[in-house]
Amino acid sequence: MKTSFKCLLRWGLLFFFGVIFSGKSFGQALVFGSTPSFSALNLKNKKPLDAVLLEVRYQFTWTYSDESLPHAEQRTVFVGRNHIYSRNEALYQNDSVATSLITKGARGVPLYSNPTVPYEVWTDRQAKMVEIGYRVPFDNMVVSFTRPINALQWSFCEDEKQKVLGYACSKATTIYCGKTVIAWFAEELPYDAGPYCFAGLPGLIMKVEMEGASWQAIGIRKGRNGEQIYTYARPRQQMSHEKAINFLTNLYEDPVATYSALGVECSSAEKSNQVLAPGSLKWKIPNLMKMER
Protein backbone atom coordinates (compact mmCIF):
# COMPACT_ATOMS: atom_id res chain seq x y z
CA MET A 1 0.00 0.00 0.00
CA LYS A 2 1.11 3.58 -0.54
CA THR A 3 1.88 5.60 2.59
CA SER A 4 -1.07 7.95 2.02
CA PHE A 5 -3.42 4.99 1.78
CA LYS A 6 -2.01 3.46 4.97
CA CYS A 7 -2.65 6.76 6.71
CA LEU A 8 -6.23 6.81 5.45
CA LEU A 9 -6.86 3.25 6.60
CA ARG A 10 -5.27 4.06 9.96
CA TRP A 11 -7.54 7.11 10.25
CA GLY A 12 -10.54 4.91 9.57
CA LEU A 13 -9.45 2.46 12.27
CA LEU A 14 -8.94 5.31 14.70
CA PHE A 15 -12.53 6.34 13.97
CA PHE A 16 -13.61 2.73 14.53
CA PHE A 17 -11.90 2.50 17.91
CA GLY A 18 -12.43 6.11 18.95
CA VAL A 19 -16.11 6.49 18.09
CA ILE A 20 -17.55 3.00 17.90
CA PHE A 21 -15.58 1.82 20.93
CA SER A 22 -14.88 5.12 22.67
CA GLY A 23 -12.65 4.78 25.66
CA LYS A 24 -10.56 1.93 24.25
CA SER A 25 -7.08 2.43 22.88
CA PHE A 26 -6.09 2.07 19.24
CA GLY A 27 -4.04 -0.95 20.29
CA GLN A 28 -7.18 -2.91 21.14
CA ALA A 29 -7.13 -6.23 19.28
CA LEU A 30 -9.40 -6.99 16.38
CA VAL A 31 -11.07 -10.38 16.66
CA PHE A 32 -10.95 -12.22 13.34
CA GLY A 33 -13.39 -14.94 12.34
CA SER A 34 -13.55 -17.13 9.25
CA THR A 35 -15.31 -14.34 7.31
CA PRO A 36 -14.66 -10.57 7.37
CA SER A 37 -16.59 -8.35 9.79
CA PHE A 38 -17.74 -4.83 8.93
CA SER A 39 -18.04 -1.90 11.30
CA ALA A 40 -21.17 0.23 11.15
CA LEU A 41 -21.57 3.54 9.37
CA ASN A 42 -23.26 6.44 11.17
CA LEU A 43 -26.09 7.28 8.76
CA LYS A 44 -26.76 10.68 10.35
CA ASN A 45 -23.75 12.17 8.56
CA LYS A 46 -25.21 12.50 5.09
CA LYS A 47 -26.07 14.91 2.30
CA PRO A 48 -28.65 14.61 -0.50
CA LEU A 49 -27.55 13.91 -4.07
CA ASP A 50 -30.79 13.58 -6.03
CA ALA A 51 -34.52 12.93 -5.74
CA VAL A 52 -35.53 9.26 -5.96
CA LEU A 53 -37.58 8.55 -9.07
CA LEU A 54 -37.63 4.77 -8.72
CA GLU A 55 -36.56 2.20 -6.13
CA VAL A 56 -35.79 -1.36 -7.26
CA ARG A 57 -35.10 -4.22 -4.84
CA TYR A 58 -33.03 -7.11 -6.23
CA GLN A 59 -32.32 -10.57 -4.91
CA PHE A 60 -28.55 -10.91 -5.29
CA THR A 61 -27.21 -14.46 -5.41
CA TRP A 62 -23.49 -15.14 -5.35
CA THR A 63 -20.94 -17.87 -4.66
CA TYR A 64 -17.40 -18.55 -3.55
CA SER A 65 -15.29 -20.46 -6.05
CA ASP A 66 -14.97 -23.48 -3.74
CA GLU A 67 -18.66 -23.69 -2.78
CA SER A 68 -21.58 -24.94 -4.85
CA LEU A 69 -24.30 -23.58 -2.53
CA PRO A 70 -25.10 -19.93 -3.30
CA HIS A 71 -25.48 -17.11 -0.81
CA ALA A 72 -28.45 -14.75 -1.18
CA GLU A 73 -28.95 -11.18 0.00
CA GLN A 74 -30.85 -8.14 -1.17
CA ARG A 75 -29.65 -5.01 -2.94
CA THR A 76 -31.60 -1.80 -3.47
CA VAL A 77 -31.04 0.47 -6.46
CA PHE A 78 -32.24 4.08 -6.18
CA VAL A 79 -32.69 5.78 -9.54
CA GLY A 80 -32.62 9.57 -9.79
CA ARG A 81 -32.47 12.01 -12.67
CA ASN A 82 -28.69 12.51 -12.41
CA HIS A 83 -27.57 9.86 -9.91
CA ILE A 84 -28.06 6.14 -9.27
CA TYR A 85 -27.03 4.44 -6.04
CA SER A 86 -26.86 0.68 -5.36
CA ARG A 87 -27.04 -0.18 -1.65
CA ASN A 88 -26.02 -3.31 0.24
CA GLU A 89 -29.21 -3.94 2.19
CA ALA A 90 -27.65 -6.19 4.86
CA LEU A 91 -24.96 -3.64 5.72
CA TYR A 92 -27.49 -0.80 5.59
CA GLN A 93 -29.76 -2.51 8.11
CA ASN A 94 -26.80 -3.02 10.44
CA ASP A 95 -25.84 0.64 9.93
CA SER A 96 -29.40 1.69 10.80
CA VAL A 97 -29.39 -0.25 14.06
CA ALA A 98 -25.95 1.11 14.96
CA THR A 99 -26.97 4.71 14.17
CA SER A 100 -29.97 4.37 16.48
CA LEU A 101 -27.76 2.99 19.26
CA ILE A 102 -25.15 5.74 18.80
CA THR A 103 -27.91 8.37 18.96
CA LYS A 104 -28.99 6.87 22.29
CA GLY A 105 -25.46 7.09 23.65
CA ALA A 106 -24.27 3.51 23.14
CA ARG A 107 -20.51 2.99 23.47
CA GLY A 108 -20.42 -0.14 21.36
CA VAL A 109 -22.40 -1.17 18.30
CA PRO A 110 -22.66 -4.49 16.44
CA LEU A 111 -20.39 -5.58 13.63
CA TYR A 112 -21.85 -7.31 10.59
CA SER A 113 -20.15 -10.71 10.34
CA ASN A 114 -22.28 -12.75 7.93
CA PRO A 115 -20.90 -13.54 4.46
CA THR A 116 -21.52 -10.62 2.09
CA VAL A 117 -20.10 -8.97 -1.00
CA PRO A 118 -19.62 -5.47 0.45
CA TYR A 119 -20.00 -3.47 -2.75
CA GLU A 120 -21.85 -0.22 -3.40
CA VAL A 121 -22.19 1.54 -6.75
CA TRP A 122 -22.61 5.26 -7.50
CA THR A 123 -23.51 6.43 -11.01
CA ASP A 124 -23.11 10.10 -11.92
CA ARG A 125 -24.83 10.77 -15.24
CA GLN A 126 -23.44 14.30 -15.52
CA ALA A 127 -19.85 13.13 -15.01
CA LYS A 128 -20.63 10.05 -17.15
CA MET A 129 -18.89 7.81 -14.61
CA VAL A 130 -19.76 4.71 -12.58
CA GLU A 131 -17.91 4.24 -9.27
CA ILE A 132 -17.80 0.72 -7.79
CA GLY A 133 -16.77 0.71 -4.13
CA TYR A 134 -16.05 -2.06 -1.63
CA ARG A 135 -16.31 -1.48 2.12
CA VAL A 136 -13.10 -2.43 3.93
CA PRO A 137 -13.51 -4.96 6.78
CA PHE A 138 -13.40 -3.47 10.30
CA ASP A 139 -13.53 -0.01 8.76
CA ASN A 140 -15.95 2.55 7.35
CA MET A 141 -13.61 3.26 4.47
CA VAL A 142 -14.58 2.41 0.90
CA VAL A 143 -11.99 1.45 -1.71
CA SER A 144 -13.33 2.23 -5.17
CA PHE A 145 -12.58 2.40 -8.88
CA THR A 146 -14.44 4.03 -11.78
CA ARG A 147 -15.70 3.03 -15.20
CA PRO A 148 -17.22 5.15 -17.98
CA ILE A 149 -21.01 5.05 -18.22
CA ASN A 150 -22.35 2.77 -20.95
CA ALA A 151 -18.94 1.27 -21.71
CA LEU A 152 -20.56 -2.13 -22.24
CA GLN A 153 -21.42 -3.21 -25.77
CA TRP A 154 -24.75 -5.06 -25.77
CA SER A 155 -26.04 -7.57 -28.33
CA PHE A 156 -29.81 -7.98 -28.57
CA CYS A 157 -31.69 -11.28 -28.83
CA GLU A 158 -34.99 -10.06 -30.26
CA ASP A 159 -36.72 -13.45 -30.32
CA GLU A 160 -36.14 -14.31 -26.65
CA LYS A 161 -38.55 -12.98 -24.00
CA GLN A 162 -39.46 -13.71 -20.39
CA LYS A 163 -41.49 -12.01 -17.66
CA VAL A 164 -40.04 -10.64 -14.44
CA LEU A 165 -42.45 -9.20 -11.87
CA GLY A 166 -45.11 -9.31 -14.58
CA TYR A 167 -43.12 -7.11 -16.98
CA ALA A 168 -42.28 -8.43 -20.46
CA CYS A 169 -38.50 -8.46 -20.74
CA SER A 170 -36.17 -8.71 -23.72
CA LYS A 171 -32.78 -10.38 -23.67
CA ALA A 172 -29.38 -8.78 -24.25
CA THR A 173 -25.85 -10.08 -23.76
CA THR A 174 -22.43 -8.53 -23.21
CA ILE A 175 -18.95 -9.39 -21.93
CA TYR A 176 -17.79 -8.03 -18.57
CA CYS A 177 -14.30 -8.81 -17.24
CA GLY A 178 -14.12 -11.72 -19.67
CA LYS A 179 -17.43 -13.22 -18.49
CA THR A 180 -20.64 -13.54 -20.51
CA VAL A 181 -23.48 -11.50 -19.01
CA ILE A 182 -27.15 -12.11 -19.83
CA ALA A 183 -29.56 -9.29 -19.01
CA TRP A 184 -33.34 -9.07 -19.21
CA PHE A 185 -34.72 -5.54 -19.53
CA ALA A 186 -38.23 -4.08 -19.55
CA GLU A 187 -38.87 -1.41 -22.18
CA GLU A 188 -42.12 -0.67 -20.34
CA LEU A 189 -39.93 0.86 -17.60
CA PRO A 190 -37.90 3.56 -19.41
CA TYR A 191 -35.05 3.84 -16.91
CA ASP A 192 -31.42 3.38 -17.93
CA ALA A 193 -30.41 1.51 -14.77
CA GLY A 194 -29.77 -1.94 -13.34
CA PRO A 195 -27.86 -3.83 -10.64
CA TYR A 196 -24.12 -3.51 -10.04
CA CYS A 197 -22.65 -1.53 -12.97
CA PHE A 198 -24.99 -2.92 -15.63
CA ALA A 199 -26.89 -0.30 -17.63
CA GLY A 200 -27.11 1.09 -21.15
CA LEU A 201 -30.23 -0.76 -22.30
CA PRO A 202 -33.56 0.76 -23.50
CA GLY A 203 -35.36 -0.11 -20.27
CA LEU A 204 -34.78 -1.04 -16.66
CA ILE A 205 -32.64 -4.17 -16.25
CA MET A 206 -34.77 -6.61 -14.28
CA LYS A 207 -32.50 -9.65 -14.22
CA VAL A 208 -28.79 -10.36 -14.74
CA GLU A 209 -27.14 -13.76 -14.97
CA MET A 210 -23.42 -14.48 -15.05
CA GLU A 211 -20.97 -17.01 -13.68
CA GLY A 212 -20.79 -16.68 -9.88
CA ALA A 213 -23.47 -14.00 -9.48
CA SER A 214 -27.03 -13.10 -10.46
CA TRP A 215 -29.58 -10.39 -9.70
CA GLN A 216 -33.36 -10.49 -10.08
CA ALA A 217 -35.83 -7.71 -9.36
CA ILE A 218 -38.24 -8.66 -6.55
CA GLY A 219 -39.90 -5.29 -5.95
CA ILE A 220 -40.34 -1.90 -7.64
CA ARG A 221 -41.89 1.34 -6.44
CA LYS A 222 -41.91 4.99 -7.48
CA GLY A 223 -40.00 7.43 -5.30
CA ARG A 224 -41.94 9.17 -2.54
CA ASN A 225 -42.33 12.93 -2.39
CA GLY A 226 -39.14 14.39 -0.93
CA GLU A 227 -37.28 11.05 -0.91
CA GLN A 228 -33.58 11.52 -1.60
CA ILE A 229 -30.52 9.58 -2.70
CA TYR A 230 -27.85 10.29 -0.06
CA THR A 231 -24.10 10.15 0.17
CA TYR A 232 -22.59 9.45 3.59
CA ALA A 233 -19.55 10.97 5.28
CA ARG A 234 -16.72 8.42 5.45
CA PRO A 235 -13.21 7.88 4.09
CA ARG A 236 -13.34 6.97 0.41
CA GLN A 237 -10.17 6.02 -1.44
CA GLN A 238 -10.49 6.00 -5.21
CA MET A 239 -7.81 4.01 -7.05
CA SER A 240 -7.25 2.55 -10.44
CA HIS A 241 -9.24 -0.62 -11.07
CA GLU A 242 -6.09 -2.76 -10.81
CA LYS A 243 -4.81 -1.20 -7.58
CA ALA A 244 -8.20 -1.33 -5.86
CA ILE A 245 -8.76 -5.02 -6.61
CA ASN A 246 -5.14 -5.88 -5.77
CA PHE A 247 -5.48 -4.17 -2.40
CA LEU A 248 -8.74 -5.98 -1.61
CA THR A 249 -7.35 -9.32 -2.79
CA ASN A 250 -4.22 -8.94 -0.65
CA LEU A 251 -6.34 -7.92 2.33
CA TYR A 252 -8.59 -10.97 2.04
CA GLU A 253 -5.69 -13.33 1.41
CA ASP A 254 -3.78 -12.14 4.50
CA PRO A 255 -5.86 -9.79 6.70
CA VAL A 256 -3.55 -10.24 9.69
CA ALA A 257 -0.55 -8.92 7.75
CA THR A 258 -2.48 -5.83 6.65
CA TYR A 259 -3.75 -4.84 10.08
CA SER A 260 -0.61 -5.88 11.97
CA ALA A 261 1.35 -3.47 9.75
CA LEU A 262 -0.92 -0.72 11.12
CA GLY A 263 -0.12 -1.61 14.71
CA VAL A 264 -3.32 -3.52 15.41
CA GLU A 265 -3.12 -6.74 17.42
CA CYS A 266 -5.19 -9.50 15.78
CA SER A 267 -6.71 -12.35 17.76
CA SER A 268 -8.80 -15.40 16.85
CA ALA A 269 -12.56 -15.62 17.34
CA GLU A 270 -12.13 -19.32 18.10
CA LYS A 271 -9.36 -18.79 20.67
CA SER A 272 -9.62 -15.28 22.11
CA ASN A 273 -6.25 -15.54 23.86
CA GLN A 274 -4.46 -16.51 20.66
CA VAL A 275 -2.65 -13.69 18.88
CA LEU A 276 -2.63 -14.31 15.13
CA ALA A 277 0.52 -14.05 13.06
CA PRO A 278 0.66 -12.88 9.42
CA GLY A 279 -0.19 -15.72 7.07
CA SER A 280 -2.29 -17.58 9.64
CA LEU A 281 -5.72 -16.59 8.28
CA LYS A 282 -7.25 -16.27 4.82
CA TRP A 283 -10.74 -15.04 3.95
CA LYS A 284 -12.49 -16.51 0.93
CA ILE A 285 -12.98 -14.06 -1.92
CA PRO A 286 -16.49 -13.91 -3.48
CA ASN A 287 -16.54 -14.79 -7.17
CA LEU A 288 -17.82 -11.32 -8.11
CA MET A 289 -14.80 -9.66 -6.50
CA LYS A 290 -12.46 -12.30 -7.89
CA MET A 291 -13.89 -11.74 -11.39
CA GLU A 292 -12.84 -8.07 -11.23
CA ARG A 293 -9.23 -9.21 -11.28
Short mmCIF file of all heavy atoms in Angstrom, two decimals, residues 250-272:
data_model
loop_
_atom_site.label_atom_id
_atom_site.label_comp_id
_atom_site.label_asym_id
_atom_site.label_seq_id
_atom_site.Cartn_x
_atom_site.Cartn_y
_atom_site.Cartn_z
N ASN A 250 -5.28 -8.74 -1.64
CA ASN A 250 -4.22 -8.94 -0.65
C ASN A 250 -4.77 -8.90 0.77
O ASN A 250 -4.33 -9.68 1.63
CB ASN A 250 -3.14 -7.87 -0.81
CG ASN A 250 -2.36 -8.04 -2.11
OD1 ASN A 250 -2.29 -9.14 -2.67
ND2 ASN A 250 -1.78 -6.96 -2.60
N LEU A 251 -5.73 -8.01 1.01
CA LEU A 251 -6.34 -7.92 2.33
C LEU A 251 -7.07 -9.21 2.69
O LEU A 251 -6.91 -9.74 3.80
CB LEU A 251 -7.30 -6.73 2.38
CG LEU A 251 -8.17 -6.58 3.64
CD1 LEU A 251 -7.29 -6.46 4.88
CD2 LEU A 251 -9.07 -5.37 3.52
N TYR A 252 -7.84 -9.74 1.77
CA TYR A 252 -8.59 -10.97 2.04
C TYR A 252 -7.65 -12.17 2.17
O TYR A 252 -7.92 -13.08 2.96
CB TYR A 252 -9.62 -11.22 0.93
CG TYR A 252 -10.95 -10.52 1.15
CD1 TYR A 252 -11.05 -9.13 1.18
CD2 TYR A 252 -12.11 -11.25 1.34
CE1 TYR A 252 -12.25 -8.49 1.38
CE2 TYR A 252 -13.33 -10.62 1.54
CZ TYR A 252 -13.40 -9.24 1.57
OH TYR A 252 -14.60 -8.60 1.78
N GLU A 253 -6.58 -12.18 1.38
CA GLU A 253 -5.69 -13.33 1.41
C GLU A 253 -4.79 -13.35 2.65
O GLU A 253 -4.32 -14.42 3.06
CB GLU A 253 -4.84 -13.38 0.14
CG GLU A 253 -5.69 -13.73 -1.09
CD GLU A 253 -4.87 -13.90 -2.35
OE1 GLU A 253 -3.72 -13.39 -2.38
OE2 GLU A 253 -5.37 -14.54 -3.30
N ASP A 254 -4.56 -12.18 3.26
CA ASP A 254 -3.78 -12.14 4.50
C ASP A 254 -4.19 -10.92 5.33
O ASP A 254 -3.45 -9.94 5.40
CB ASP A 254 -2.28 -12.11 4.21
CG ASP A 254 -1.44 -12.45 5.44
OD1 ASP A 254 -2.00 -12.49 6.56
OD2 ASP A 254 -0.22 -12.66 5.29
N PRO A 255 -5.39 -10.95 5.94
CA PRO A 255 -5.86 -9.79 6.70
C PRO A 255 -4.97 -9.46 7.90
O PRO A 255 -4.82 -8.29 8.26
CB PRO A 255 -7.27 -10.20 7.15
CG PRO A 255 -7.27 -11.69 7.08
CD PRO A 255 -6.37 -12.05 5.96
N VAL A 256 -4.38 -10.48 8.51
CA VAL A 256 -3.55 -10.24 9.69
C VAL A 256 -2.33 -9.39 9.32
O VAL A 256 -1.96 -8.47 10.05
CB VAL A 256 -3.11 -11.57 10.32
CG1 VAL A 256 -2.20 -11.32 11.53
CG2 VAL A 256 -4.33 -12.37 10.76
N ALA A 257 -1.72 -9.68 8.18
CA ALA A 257 -0.55 -8.92 7.75
C ALA A 257 -0.90 -7.45 7.54
O ALA A 257 -0.15 -6.55 7.93
CB ALA A 257 0.03 -9.52 6.47
N THR A 258 -2.07 -7.21 6.92
CA THR A 258 -2.48 -5.83 6.65
C THR A 258 -2.68 -5.03 7.93
O THR A 258 -2.14 -3.93 8.09
CB THR A 258 -3.79 -5.82 5.82
OG1 THR A 258 -3.57 -6.49 4.59
CG2 THR A 258 -4.24 -4.39 5.54
N TYR A 259 -3.43 -5.59 8.87
CA TYR A 259 -3.75 -4.84 10.08
C TYR A 259 -2.59 -4.83 11.07
O TYR A 259 -2.41 -3.85 11.81
CB TYR A 259 -5.03 -5.40 10.72
CG TYR A 259 -6.26 -5.05 9.92
CD1 TYR A 259 -6.87 -6.00 9.10
CD2 TYR A 259 -6.78 -3.77 9.93
CE1 TYR A 259 -7.98 -5.67 8.34
CE2 TYR A 259 -7.89 -3.43 9.18
CZ TYR A 259 -8.49 -4.38 8.38
OH TYR A 259 -9.58 -4.05 7.62
N SER A 260 -1.78 -5.88 11.10
CA SER A 260 -0.61 -5.88 11.97
C SER A 260 0.36 -4.78 11.56
O SER A 260 1.00 -4.15 12.41
CB SER A 260 0.10 -7.25 11.92
OG SER A 260 -0.71 -8.27 12.45
N ALA A 261 0.47 -4.53 10.24
CA ALA A 261 1.35 -3.47 9.75
C ALA A 261 0.89 -2.10 10.22
O ALA A 261 1.68 -1.14 10.25
CB ALA A 261 1.41 -3.50 8.22
N LEU A 262 -0.38 -1.97 10.62
CA LEU A 262 -0.92 -0.72 11.12
C LEU A 262 -0.88 -0.64 12.65
O LEU A 262 -1.41 0.28 13.24
CB LEU A 262 -2.37 -0.55 10.64
CG LEU A 262 -2.55 -0.47 9.13
CD1 LEU A 262 -4.02 -0.54 8.76
CD2 LEU A 262 -1.92 0.79 8.57
N GLY A 263 -0.25 -1.63 13.27
CA GLY A 263 -0.12 -1.61 14.71
C GLY A 263 -1.29 -2.19 15.47
O GLY A 263 -1.44 -1.97 16.68
N VAL A 264 -2.15 -2.94 14.77
CA VAL A 264 -3.32 -3.52 15.41
C VAL A 264 -3.03 -4.98 15.76
O VAL A 264 -2.58 -5.75 14.92
CB VAL A 264 -4.55 -3.46 14.48
CG1 VAL A 264 -5.76 -4.10 15.14
CG2 VAL A 264 -4.85 -2.02 14.12
N GLU A 265 -3.29 -5.35 17.01
CA GLU A 265 -3.12 -6.74 17.42
C GLU A 265 -4.34 -7.54 16.95
O GLU A 265 -5.48 -7.13 17.13
CB GLU A 265 -2.99 -6.83 18.93
CG GLU A 265 -2.71 -8.23 19.44
CD GLU A 265 -2.51 -8.26 20.95
OE1 GLU A 265 -1.40 -7.95 21.41
OE2 GLU A 265 -3.49 -8.58 21.65
N CYS A 266 -4.11 -8.69 16.35
CA CYS A 266 -5.19 -9.50 15.78
C CYS A 266 -5.29 -10.81 16.55
O CYS A 266 -4.31 -11.53 16.71
CB CYS A 266 -4.90 -9.79 14.31
SG CYS A 266 -4.60 -8.32 13.30
N SER A 267 -6.49 -11.11 17.02
CA SER A 267 -6.71 -12.35 17.76
C SER A 267 -7.78 -13.18 17.07
O SER A 267 -8.51 -12.71 16.20
CB SER A 267 -7.10 -12.06 19.20
OG SER A 267 -8.32 -11.37 19.26
N SER A 268 -7.89 -14.44 17.48
CA SER A 268 -8.80 -15.40 16.85
C SER A 268 -10.15 -15.43 17.55
O SER A 268 -10.21 -15.41 18.78
CB SER A 268 -8.17 -16.80 16.87
OG SER A 268 -9.11 -17.78 16.50
N ALA A 269 -11.21 -15.49 16.76
CA ALA A 269 -12.56 -15.62 17.34
C ALA A 269 -12.72 -16.97 18.02
O ALA A 269 -13.49 -17.10 18.97
CB ALA A 269 -13.62 -15.43 16.25
N GLU A 270 -12.03 -17.98 17.53
CA GLU A 270 -12.13 -19.32 18.10
C GLU A 270 -11.34 -19.45 19.40
O GLU A 270 -11.76 -20.14 20.33
CB GLU A 270 -11.64 -20.35 17.09
CG GLU A 270 -12.49 -20.41 15.82
CD GLU A 270 -11.99 -21.44 14.83
OE1 GLU A 270 -10.92 -22.04 15.09
OE2 GLU A 270 -12.66 -21.64 13.80
N LYS A 271 -10.19 -18.77 19.47
CA LYS A 271 -9.36 -18.79 20.67
C LYS A 271 -8.98 -17.35 20.99
O LYS A 271 -8.02 -16.81 20.43
CB LYS A 271 -8.11 -19.65 20.45
CG LYS A 271 -8.42 -21.11 20.15
CD LYS A 271 -7.13 -21.89 19.92
CE LYS A 271 -7.43 -23.36 19.61
NZ LYS A 271 -6.17 -24.12 19.36
N SER A 272 -9.76 -16.72 21.86
CA SER A 272 -9.62 -15.28 22.11
C SER A 272 -8.26 -14.90 22.67
O SER A 272 -7.82 -13.76 22.55
CB SER A 272 -10.72 -14.81 23.06
OG SER A 272 -10.65 -15.52 24.28
#
